Amino acid sequence: MISNALKKLNDLFGREINYLRISLTDRCNLNCFYCEPSRCYEKFPKREILSVEEIIYLVSIFYDKFGIKKFRFTGGEPLLRHGLKEIILGVRKNLGDYVELTITTNGIFLKNFAKFLKDTKVRVNVSLDTLKEERFKKITGCYGLSNVISAIDYAKNLGLQLKINTVLLREINDDEIPELINFSRENEVKIRFIEFMPISIDLNLWRKHFISEEEILDTIKKKHELRFLGIEGIERIYLVDGGVEIGFISTVSHPFCKGCSRIRISSEGKIYLCLFDHKGYDIKKFLRPEIKEEELCNIISDVVKFKPEGFIKFKEEGTLPEFGPVMKQVGG
């Protein structure tokens, strides 16, 4: 199905969409409080979740018709997804190395998949918010830090391409910033600090635990030399002590919305154009009971035009968004 792209996806702000994140499941084995919504929600019935074949087909369509080459599989926890290996093998069979595949995981089961992911050239981002077991339990609701640390070490020794994602939280793990940087240095794994976003969460809880990039940098500067290197995609990159690169994804303090090039497909088959938008656009109806390819491509092209301005609009207005989509359902 490999061919030259027929049409680029652009929104009304002139942004080109070249990155698709697909949630493989809304199930997760952890209950991180910043991911769990403060309102009740029901998990999708399994029959409503996109099938293995539908996901492989969608990746091929977005590549073949719209020229998208960058795909990330998310969750929930994507390593829980039955058929994960079949999805990745199917994409590689159809598209080979023409596409870049990445997966975001909490790392609990990473050791079981690390060799497969390396062999299929899938890069991995591992969530790691603390180096303290009891604190891990406080954040995630479960014990499991030793599994994650062990998996990172195992995957690194295999040669799997890894990054660490850390959500920093005031009065919870912000005192671990130096230790996390040292962990990154000692393990030669890049770390990215991610600002806590006001999505799916009680805004009072968000206000209590939000910590900005500037505050994090002030903490780092007390112990380390720091130099700003520039912006790479959505990341702001710094060099620590002349040797360790750390990244920041600072959605709140430094919104990157004007250059946002991503959209998401939730595990039940809806397109979400922005995490700060409520609306999901159903595309599964063009896959079942039979595929309607022309209609599917037309709706994708039309829907993308309505990608909203993003968090930058709320920042400029001095307001905060109401609840967006549930993170476990749409993917981070």
Side-chain angles (χ1 to χ4, degrees):
M1 199 170 179
I2 297 172
S3 69
N4 293 326
L6 300 180
K7 188 175 185 180
K8 296 292 185 181
L9 291 175
N10 292 280
D11 66 17
L12 296 178
F13 294 95
R15 297 172 293 194
E16 181 183 321
I17 305 305
N18 59 23
Y19 179 15
L20 177 63
R21 300 168 70 103
I22 303 176
S23 175
L24 302 185
T25 178
D26 62 338
R27 272 66 172 176
C28 189
N29 53 312
L30 301 182
N31 295 290
C32 302
F33 80 86
Y34 55 76
C35 187
E36 285 286 298
S38 55
R39 65 201 189 280
C40 295
Y41 76 100
E42 294 184 3
K43 291 182 172 63
F44 299 131
K46 289 188 178 180
R47 65 181 179 277
E48 295 301 326
I49 291 177
L50 291 172
S51 70
V52 167
E53 294 76 17
E54 287 166 344
I55 292 168
I56 294 170
Y57 172 76
L58 284 171
V59 171
S60 294
I61 279 292
F62 273 91
Y63 172 83
D64 192 63
K65 300 300 183 183
F66 303 110
I68 291 181
K69 298 179 181 179
K70 185 176 181 181
F71 298 87
R72 180 179 296 276
F73 295 134
T74 65
E77 170 48 49
L79 299 187
L80 289 178
R81 171 62 196 253
H82 179 71
L84 170 66
K85 290 185 177 181
E86 287 75 12
I87 291 169
I88 293 170
L89 290 172
V91 171
R92 286 298 184 215
K93 180 181 178 181
N94 287 349
L95 303 176
D97 295 337
Y98 286 90
V99 295
E100 175 185 327
L101 297 181
T102 313
I103 197 163
T104 298
T105 173
N106 60 39
I108 298 292
F109 301 119
L110 176 59
K111 190 178 287 189
N112 299 334
F113 290 87
K115 187 176 186 305
F116 170 79
L117 295 172
K118 179 182 183 296
D119 291 344
T120 51
K121 299 180 181 178
V122 179
R123 295 189 294 107
V124 177
N125 286 13
V126 182
S127 298
L128 179 66
D129 297 331
T130 178
L131 298 172
K132 302 178 187 299
E133 186 70 70
E134 287 300 326
R135 194 170 286 180
F136 186 92
K137 169 69 161 55
K138 179 178 180 179
I139 294 171
T140 68
C142 308
Y143 289 110
L145 175 62
S146 59
N147 296 61
V148 180
I149 299 295
S150 175
I152 289 172
D153 183 64
Y154 178 75
K156 181 180 69 71
N157 289 332
L158 277 178
L160 183 63
Q161 286 187 281
L162 286 177
K163 284 185 181 179
I164 294 171
N165 288 344
T166 299
V167 178
L168 284 175
L169 304 157
R170 187 187 303 280
E171 298 178 358
I172 294 182
N173 66 349
D174 56 324
D175 61 330
E176 290 188 70
I177 295 169
E179 287 77 14
L180 287 161
I181 291 174
N182 286 336
F183 181 87
S184 169
R185 184 199 310 274
E186 291 168 4
N187 289 276
E188 299 179 330
V189 179
K190 183 176 179 182
I191 191 167
R192 306 193 301 178
F193 293 122
I194 301 174
E195 287 184 347
F196 183 22
M197 292 190 295
I199 297 173
S200 299
I201 201 81
D202 181 335
L203 289 179
N204 289 325
L205 190 65
W206 173 79
R207 291 186 184 95
K208 178 179 179 182
H209 295 300
F210 171 75
I211 181 168
S212 70
E213 177 183 322
E214 283 70 22
E215 293 173 279
I216 299 166
L217 292 174
D218 286 343
T219 297
I220 295 173
K221 287 174 184 175
K222 292 175 182 177
K223 292 192 175 184
H224 301 280
E225 291 183 7
L226 198 63
R227 181 161 62 92
F228 180 61
L229 295 181
I231 298 173
E232 194 176 287
I234 66 171
E235 283 186 61
R236 296 164 59 80
I237 311 295
Y238 292 82
L239 189 67
V240 180
D241 290 341
V244 179
E245 282 191 16
I246 61 173
F248 285 81
I249 299 179
S250 305
T251 308
V252 177
S253 64
H254 295 279
F256 46 83
C257 309
K258 289 181 179 179
C260 182
S261 62
R262 64 188 59 190
I263 58 174
R264 293 168 170 81
I265 296 179
S266 63
S267 49
E268 100 283 26
K270 289 184 179 179
I271 290 179
Y272 282 87
L273 304 172
C274 177
L275 285 177
F276 297 99
D277 189 24
H278 296 263
K279 189 167 179 58
Y281 300 86
D282 183 22
I283 59 170
K284 189 171 60 187
K285 61 186 178 183
F286 301 105
L287 303 174
R288 300 178 187 179
E290 70 276 335
I291 292 173
K292 306 179 183 71
E293 186 167 301
E294 184 176 355
E295 293 176 57
L296 173 65
C297 291
N298 286 338
I299 196 68
I300 291 170
S301 183
D302 290 343
V303 160
V304 163
K305 290 183 174 65
F306 300 105
K307 182 174 170 67
E309 196 171 2
F311 187 78
I312 194 168
K313 177 175 180 290
F314 296 100
K315 187 175 178 68
E316 289 171 351
E317 294 174 349
T319 60
L320 287 172
E322 297 179 4
F323 291 122
V326 174
M327 291 288 278
K328 279 190 175 180
Q329 295 179 331
V330 73

